[in-house]
Amino acid sequence: MTYELPVDRLFIAGAWRQGRGAPINSHFPADGTLNRVVHGASIEDVDLAIERAQTAVSDPAWRSLRPHERARFLYKIADGIAQTAERIAYVQSRDTGKTITETTALALSAAGTFRYMGAALETLEDALTPSRGDYLTFSVYEALGVTAGITPWNSPIASDAQKVAPALAAGNAILLKPASWSPLVCLELARVIEASGLPAGLFSVLPGSGSLVGERLVTDRAIRKVSFTGGTEVGRGIARKAAEKLMPVSLELGGKSPTIVFADADLDVAVAGVLFGVFSSTGQSCIAGSRLFVQRAIYDTFVSKLVAATQALRIGHSFDRTTQVAPLIHPDHRSDVEAHVRRALAEGAELLTGGERPQGATYEGGVYYRPTILAGVDNAAAICREEIFGPVLVVLPFDDEGDVIAQGNDNEYGLACGIYTADFAKAWRVARGIEAGTVWINTYKQFSISTPFGGVKDSGVGREKGREGIRAWMAQKSIYFDLSGKPHPWAR
Ligand code: NDP
């Protein structure tokens, strides 16, 4: 099934307009063909979106909606995404090269995010706080105002939904800036949001360069919060600029997550989990389990099983439903991945499999790269420290719990961790000892919208998802009601 790709129009302040910024070329990574040229937003477009968002967010027609009324928009958006999930998945696969199986799941998860945030909104409660005087004291939560979401290219519809749904649920306006390598799928989201009848101006989509559009959203004083998902260095820069205007930010950043396989693990479960953890999404995942620690007693057996299973992975076209490893997003990104591997080999790493582009007619013109496993280095090597964001795994041995916790934590990042063992008490101890926002035991890369997600250390600050996810888009206000009816004694 093929669908028309979105045309060269952005959804700004409730209307479809051609962007006045530079053209952005979207290519299909499976064969290199041009999908579309979309003109990005200019500074004038961003300013227009901000101005209209300010008006829309303070309009009583939106501000005075009760939670169940506001939630109705979220349910409509959820239904709209679910009903057109096939089309959204198609556009996202064309935009990013991801397999159609994965993009279908991402579209459905985005629908689930809107539905969950609608339900969470309807059931959130304000607090009557204990009083220390003749007062009734309340703690209420209110919208921040105009907010922004800045997202990367690796799972656009899902990461967009994780920002737009709680922002709207909280009563804000939100301006979304997608990554320049994937400008199309957010236009599909805009189509669904427009059809939901959401008041004009509350949502705009502003593709365009990070240094222009992104920067403007971060620095404009009208923007009251930025939620950013992307690389650590860009996130650090955003945090600095946010500090200047004392604006709250949420930063979902990079990772170099350890996966730990103990000698008592079910090896088939562990092999499947490790493969999925690092090579699904062609490794372009912030939570990729890209550092593998295998207990010394099973190191050789496990690694040879893993290498054989890796070599059997099906590398293929994004629209082939049997594909496990699809193309990377962009030729420049593949060059970066290749440079990481070359450098590791120059520094003495041993190549166990991969390390090259697959050959043959199927791969002609596409941005393919073989799943790669490296070994023979210690945890201090660059390949163990730097995020590669591609299908590259490095394997290291470890001795015992203490050793693997120390090696696992000896890294700037702290996003996720996987633990494979039959001993649940050990799994618990290691899970508590590892510095990470999420730990999976005997599984990997599983998500629930009701479970908070985020990182520690260089992997970011703040949490998305979960009921509290909406609170992150709100300001808390305390209200004291005097019950005494008497003048304050000080004034006597
Ligand atoms: P980038 O940090 O390069 O870009 C992310 C977004 O920020 C893009 O929209 C980009 O725009 C924009 N941007 C770039 N520079 C600025 C700036 N100065 N001001 C404001 N916005 C800016 O990341 P990638 O798109 O390359 O994505 C990969 C990274 O994202 C990886 O490090 C990955 O780990 C991380 N990530 C983290 C996740 C998490 O939840 N922790 C989930 C998914 C990815 P443009 O594209 O125009 O440059």
Side-chain angles (χ1 to χ4, degrees):
M1 185 84 73
T2 61
Y3 291 91
E4 259 314 285
L5 294 170
V7 296
D8 183 13
R9 292 284 181 281
L10 309 184
F11 188 66
I12 302 176
W16 292 95
R17 318 158 191 264
Q18 188 169 64
R20 288 170 281 176
I24 303 169
N25 298 332
S26 160
H27 286 97
F28 184 27
D31 58 18
T33 52
L34 184 68
N35 287 324
R36 273 280 184 263
V37 179
V38 175
H39 284 80
S42 65
I43 290 296
E44 294 73 31
D45 292 328
V46 179
D47 291 348
L48 175 67
I50 293 176
E51 190 192 313
R52 297 288 165 82
Q54 281 182 296
T55 310
V57 83
S58 51
D59 186 336
W62 172 249
R63 263 182 78 94
S64 57
L65 284 182
R66 304 214 157 82
H68 65 284
E69 294 167 332
R70 207 155 69 226
R72 248 178 245 148
F73 290 106
L74 288 124
Y75 298 140
K76 278 193 196 157
I77 296 169
D79 289 345
I81 295 174
Q83 281 154 11
T84 54
E86 201 174 89
R87 168 173 167 166
I88 293 171
Y90 174 82
V91 172
Q92 183 160 347
S93 284
R94 287 284 298 264
D95 214 8
T96 62
K98 278 175 171 278
T99 65
I100 192 74
T101 317
E102 184 179 351
T103 54
T104 304
L106 288 171
L108 294 175
S109 97
T113 299
F114 277 94
R115 197 165 294 119
Y116 175 89
M117 287 298 169
L121 165 63
E122 286 205 61
T123 54
L124 275 189
E125 286 171 354
D126 291 326
L128 190 63
T129 51
S131 165
R132 294 212 167 202
D134 213 356
Y135 308 110
L136 204 53
T137 48
F138 299 95
S139 189
V140 297
Y141 291 86
E142 297 179 343
L144 294 167
V146 183
T147 63
I150 301 178
T151 52
W153 43 262
N154 66 319
S155 303
I157 191 79
S159 45
D160 296 349
Q162 272 168 39
K163 302 193 187 309
V164 177
L168 293 177
N172 300 295
I174 177 157
L175 312 179
L176 179 67
K177 194 211 96 61
S180 297
W181 280 348
S182 57
L184 298 183
V185 75
C186 58
L187 301 174
E188 287 295 316
L189 178 63
R191 174 185 57 72
V192 171
I193 290 183
E194 182 189 32
S196 77
L198 186 80
L202 289 172
F203 174 73
S204 289
V205 160
L206 303 165
S209 89
S211 54
L212 196 81
V213 173
E215 176 106 14
R216 184 64 156 215
L217 291 173
V218 173
T219 52
D220 194 294
R221 295 201 75 83
I223 304 288
R224 300 289 178 81
K225 170 182 170 122
V226 167
S227 175
F228 170 80
T229 299
T232 296
E233 280 323 304
V234 176
R236 219 186 288 282
I238 288 175
R240 279 195 201 103
K241 285 169 200 136
E244 276 302 312
K245 54 184 247 206
L246 298 177
M247 173 182 71
V249 278
S250 149
L251 303 170
E252 302 282 352
L253 309 177
K256 191 75 190 179
S257 299
T259 302
I260 300 164
V261 181
F262 282 98
D264 62 3
D266 178 322
L267 296 195
D268 292 334
V269 168
V271 165
V274 169
L275 287 182
F276 180 67
V278 67
F279 296 135
S280 62
S281 311
T282 319
Q284 302 168 119
S285 166
C286 53
I287 46 170
S290 51
R291 267 188 312 152
L292 174 63
F293 294 97
V294 182
Q295 198 158 21
R296 222 175 275 280
I298 56 157
Y299 184 86
D300 290 339
T301 318
F302 187 80
V303 170
S304 61
K305 255 175 167 307
L306 185 69
V307 167
T310 302
Q311 286 166 346
L313 289 173
R314 294 180 297 277
I315 308 170
H317 195 276
S318 316
F319 289 120
D320 178 346
R321 287 196 180 267
T322 65
T323 293
Q324 291 166 297
V325 182
L328 290 159
I329 179 95
H330 196 276
D332 291 353
H333 183 49
R334 178 172 61 185
S335 302
D336 283 349
V337 172
E338 288 172 330
H340 277 287
V341 173
R342 263 199 314 275
R343 180 172 160 200
L345 295 176
E347 286 176 0
E350 184 191 350
L351 181 66
L352 301 185
T353 188
E356 58 180 6
R357 303 176 185 187
Q359 300 301 320
T362 317
Y363 309 114
E364 204 95 333
V367 196
Y368 293 94
Y369 192 72
R370 280 195 187 284
T372 297
I373 304 182
L374 298 161
V377 291
D378 69 25
N379 195 35
I383 200 79
C384 298
R385 309 207 76 82
E386 293 168 6
E387 182 182 45
I388 298 171
F389 222 61
V392 180
L393 175 69
V394 59
V395 197
L396 303 115
F398 73 91
D399 295 318
D400 54 27
E401 275 177 53
D403 176 30
V404 80
I405 291 173
Q407 291 199 65
N409 288 343
D410 180 15
N411 194 275
E412 303 305 317
Y413 294 108
L415 195 55
C417 171
I419 301 168
Y420 292 89
T421 175
D423 178 344
F424 280 81
K426 182 162 64 186
W428 172 253
R429 288 191 299 272
V430 177
R432 297 307 302 261
I434 283 285
E435 296 166 340
T438 300
V439 178
W440 288 285
I441 295 161
N442 292 331
T443 186
Y444 204 84
K445 244 180 158 183
Q446 298 307 305
F447 280 123
S448 155
I449 180 64
S450 42
T451 305
F453 177 77
V456 297
K457 305 198 291 190
D458 275 6
S459 292
V461 289
R463 293 289 177 271
E464 290 187 329
K465 305 185 178 180
R467 284 168 63 81
E468 292 304 308
I470 300 181
R471 299 287 195 218
W473 294 84
M474 297 179 118
Q476 197 170 13
K477 181 186 278 177
S478 299
I479 302 177
Y480 290 67
F481 259 98
D482 183 278
L483 299 178
S484 73
K486 293 182 194 146
H488 197 283
W490 181 90
R492 251 189 246 135

